[in-house]
Amino acid sequence: MPLDTSSYTLAHLRLDGRRWNELRRCHGQMSTQAAADGSSYLEMGNTKVICTVTGPTESRRSGGTGNAEAKIEVEIGLAGFSGVERKRRGKGDKRTSEMQHTIASAFADTLSTQLYPHSTITINLHILSQDGSLLAACINASTLALIDAGIPMTDYISACTAGSTASYASNDEQADPLLDLNGLEEQELPFLTVATLGTDDKISVLMMETRVQLTRLEAMIAVGVDGCKQIRNTLDAIVRQHGNALLQKTVT
């Protein structure tokens, strides 16, 4: 059934009751897996992700010149029950491979990989539930897990999605941008995923899987960058909460 976008202009509310610039509920935890070097659990709306980080560990390949910097490997596994379609995606799935490459490239420029030559940092992401903003949730969960693992990085990477209320075929110049799309909105509306580094609005990831009129792109990016600031504040709160919990354990 096509998404009824008339409610956007009439009541300025979306189907889930949010306004155009409101995030869904975001909840996270750190150190959720004791066996991993770093781990996290993150919910963005009904999208739920578990992330574990292993390493830096010595690279399996020995001999030769080796790598002067640590190699980052990303593995994504989607539970069969995570989406509406009950099917498993193999390791060769194109969209999964693109997400793995995007996440690895983003953190390769952020982590201090030069401190760990001839080693590998492995990020494992397990998708428990999909309801939009999947790539953004994976990036945010990876940030928390890498912080928990104690791997030095220049700053946080925080990610969010943004979309437009009109499709590519329409020429509606009054189309409104939307923040943090859910699964139903992503199926019907053009959207992009943006990730920023730190507080200076430096974009480290910008991926768009749909077509949109060029005149709407600037507004979508601006809304997405503002959403990344809000996500960063949420990640900050999760890290502070985790730090306070560790401090209490040390005191007691």
Side-chain angles (χ1 to χ4, degrees):
M1 179 182 295
L3 184 64
D4 182 12
T5 59
S6 61
S7 59
Y8 297 131
T9 55
L10 294 177
H12 298 287
L13 293 178
R14 295 148 77 172
L15 298 180
D16 53 10
R18 292 181 293 147
R19 295 192 180 277
W20 65 272
N21 60 344
E22 289 183 353
L23 292 172
R24 294 175 292 175
R25 175 181 178 272
C26 186
H27 167 73
Q29 295 178 351
M30 297 171 65
S31 297
T32 56
Q33 306 291 326
D37 295 316
S39 58
S40 67
Y41 170 75
L42 184 72
E43 294 181 3
M44 293 181 64
N46 290 325
T47 298
K48 303 175 182 180
V49 180
I50 293 176
C51 180
T52 58
V53 171
T54 305
T57 56
E58 186 177 356
S59 180
R60 296 177 181 177
R61 296 181 180 180
S62 59
T65 58
N67 295 323
E69 299 181 355
K71 179 182 179 182
I72 299 176
E73 296 182 349
V74 179
E75 298 180 2
I76 298 178
L78 292 92
F81 54 81
S82 62
V84 177
E85 297 181 1
R86 300 293 181 101
K87 65 178 183 180
R88 289 185 174 273
R89 290 185 179 181
K91 292 185 178 180
D93 179 74
K94 182 178 179 181
R95 185 165 187 265
T96 301
S97 299
E98 288 178 350
M99 290 174 59
Q100 292 175 165
H101 175 73
T102 300
I103 295 171
S105 299
F107 285 104
D109 296 332
T110 306
L111 299 177
S112 300
T113 54
Q114 71 277 5
L115 300 177
Y116 309 103
H118 319 298
S119 60
T120 302
I121 300 171
T122 304
I123 302 173
N124 287 280
L125 291 152
H126 306 276
I127 313 302
L128 302 180
S129 178
Q130 302 180 62
D131 188 30
S133 301
L134 182 58
L135 176 59
C138 288
I139 293 174
N140 295 329
S142 299
T143 295
L144 292 175
L146 289 166
I147 293 173
D148 186 43
I151 301 175
M153 63 177 67
T154 55
D155 211 326
Y156 291 5
I157 294 183
S158 54
C160 192
T161 58
S164 173
T165 55
S167 63
Y168 176 80
S170 64
N171 293 314
D172 183 11
E173 296 297 334
Q174 302 299 321
D176 297 320
L178 297 177
L179 180 65
D180 189 16
L181 275 65
N182 59 34
L184 182 59
E185 291 171 334
E186 285 188 355
Q187 291 178 15
E188 301 294 337
L189 302 177
F191 71 97
L192 56 81
T193 301
V194 60
T196 58
L197 178 63
T199 58
D200 57 356
D201 297 344
K202 179 181 178 181
I203 296 177
S204 58
V205 174
L206 181 59
M207 176 174 287
M208 190 162 190
E209 302 179 19
T210 52
R211 297 189 299 173
V212 68
Q213 297 291 342
L214 184 61
T215 54
R216 303 183 196 136
L217 185 60
E218 184 177 354
M220 290 169 61
I221 294 176
V223 169
V225 169
D226 183 70
C228 290
K229 294 180 180 178
Q230 300 181 50
I231 292 292
R232 178 187 167 86
N233 293 334
T234 301
L235 298 182
D236 271 332
I238 295 171
V239 173
R240 285 196 302 269
Q241 183 180 6
H242 178 67
N244 292 335
L246 291 178
L247 182 61
Q248 290 179 0
K249 289 182 179 180
T250 303
V251 172
T252 54

